[in-house]
Amino acid sequence: MRDYLLRRLVSVIPVLFLVSLMSFAVIWIIPGDPTAAFLDASSTPEDIARLREMLGLDKPPLVQMAEWYSRVLTGDLGQSILLRIPVLSAILERLPLTLFLAALALLVAVGLGVAAGTFAATRRGSFADQSVMALALLGLSVPDFWFGLLLIVVFSVQFGWLPSGGYVPLLEDPAGWARSMLLPTLTLAVVQIGFIARMTRSAMLDVISQDFMRTAESKGLPGLYIILRHGLPNAMMPILTVTGIIAGALLGSAVVVEQVFALPGVGRLIIGGILSRDYPLIQGGLLFLTVIYLLINLIVDLLYAAVDPRVRLE
């Protein structure tokens, strides 16, 4: 297991390097000059040159990239041009909300997706099976930002039951926090519910056709007991793998959902950095989210290897 962990950690290094390289290249593609966020139309060329020198933007891109890498290796992601604070501090301040939103969405997606997929598999070919799969396909086909806007129109504008945006801290008002998180969580989870439901149905159909399931049924055991005790545990391997992929995808989708619902998370922070050409914030934010994504996948791979020892030998 230790050798497997070391191999996985080594495989992460080139991915991080490639992502950081791409994020550095992307900011040079974005049109505009970050100095425009601080200087007005009356600024002289000397003012612009002085600010570019202060921000290090007057140096060649390769030099800037080398300096950025040297800082990152020491844990310094630089200083946000817009916020005037360390990028790492800005990210850590927003990170709990993003992680909590992704965790809530993952919990809802796995719970509802596994239940729906299992229900459909045990009623294969029936109207109920086809209805559940049709809903799952619909969920997969709907863009999350569009579904979020639809929820806002129905539950905020039409009925006025839930807020259309904003965030209430949990410790200040638990009920207000639940109301502010409900629509973003559903928006983030809806696509993944359909994905997990289809995966669970496929895995359960394979398990249900196995001899040990028929043996359990011939013993007169209750159907629900057979599914929960023998069916689901044997079908969890592919679901576990998919869950890790989904966890990473939720972090990416959270960027859009936070913007739709005006939630002060890391995603909205990065979008603000892009709009203001805050290069250190963009680079640091993307690198940080990549590290979280890789960490989640590493944990899933370790769980996968712990459940199935054959994985460690591959």
Side-chain angles (χ1 to χ4, degrees):
M1 192 66 173
R2 185 182 60 183
D3 294 339
Y4 178 73
L5 174 61
L6 288 176
R7 289 202 304 272
R8 289 291 290 110
L9 287 175
V10 170
S11 67
V12 163
I13 296 175
V15 176
L16 280 176
F17 176 75
L18 186 61
V19 169
S20 61
L21 197 63
M22 291 175 65
S23 64
F24 198 89
V26 164
I27 63 173
W28 287 98
I29 299 175
I30 301 175
D33 190 333
T35 57
F38 301 94
L39 300 176
D40 52 30
S42 62
S43 301
T44 64
E46 289 75 18
D47 294 332
I48 297 175
R50 192 161 44 248
L51 183 57
R52 290 183 62 82
E53 182 181 0
M54 187 180 71
L55 297 176
L57 300 174
D58 59 328
K59 300 176 182 175
L62 288 178
V63 174
Q64 292 185 43
M65 185 171 65
E67 291 180 350
W68 185 73
Y69 275 121
S70 64
R71 288 197 305 269
V72 168
L73 290 177
T74 63
D76 180 11
L77 297 181
Q79 191 88 359
S80 169
I81 300 173
L82 178 67
L83 303 175
R84 311 291 180 91
I85 61 174
V87 171
L88 187 59
S89 299
I91 293 173
L92 292 178
E93 183 182 343
R94 308 286 189 96
L95 185 63
L97 171 58
T98 300
L99 292 181
F100 214 83
L101 176 62
L104 280 176
L106 184 64
L107 193 63
V108 172
V110 171
L112 294 181
V114 169
T118 303
F119 177 80
T122 55
R123 290 159 178 77
R124 182 179 186 181
S126 66
F127 176 74
D129 177 23
Q130 295 175 4
S131 300
V132 171
M133 286 302 98
L135 289 174
L137 183 60
L138 180 64
L140 278 171
S141 307
V142 175
D144 46 17
F145 70 89
W146 183 89
F147 186 69
L149 294 175
L150 178 66
L151 291 179
I152 290 174
V153 170
V154 174
F155 294 101
S156 301
V157 178
Q158 187 68 27
F159 296 110
W161 292 344
L162 295 168
S164 61
Y167 176 68
V168 178
L170 174 62
L171 297 180
E172 290 183 9
D173 182 4
W177 171 83
R179 284 164 51 82
S180 68
M181 293 293 286
L182 184 56
L183 294 186
T185 300
L186 289 177
T187 302
L188 205 53
V190 64
V191 174
Q192 313 307 338
I193 291 174
F195 189 48
I196 293 179
R198 294 175 68 86
M199 177 62 70
T200 302
R201 180 183 181 274
S202 177
M204 282 298 297
L205 287 177
D206 288 340
V207 172
I208 288 174
S209 63
Q210 299 296 318
D211 291 338
F212 68 89
M213 293 292 286
R214 286 193 288 271
T215 301
E217 189 176 354
S218 66
K219 291 180 179 178
L221 296 174
L224 182 60
Y225 175 82
I226 295 173
I227 292 297
L228 296 179
R229 178 66 178 84
H230 301 290
L232 267 182
N234 287 283
M236 284 307 292
M237 190 66 78
I239 300 172
L240 184 64
T241 304
V242 168
T243 301
I245 298 172
I246 287 176
L250 287 174
L251 285 175
S253 299
V255 174
V256 178
V257 173
E258 287 174 4
Q259 190 68 16
V260 171
F261 290 94
L263 297 177
V266 175
R268 199 167 180 223
L269 180 71
I270 294 175
I271 290 180
I274 293 173
L275 294 176
S276 60
R277 312 295 189 271
D278 192 338
Y279 293 169
L281 189 57
I282 299 171
Q283 291 173 303
L286 292 178
L287 183 65
F288 198 89
L289 285 183
T290 303
V291 170
I292 297 292
Y293 179 85
L294 293 175
L295 186 60
I296 292 173
N297 278 278
L298 177 62
I299 293 173
V300 172
D301 284 348
L302 293 178
L303 291 174
Y304 198 70
V307 175
D308 186 355
R310 292 173 298 179
V311 174
R312 299 197 293 266
L313 300 177
E314 294 179 353

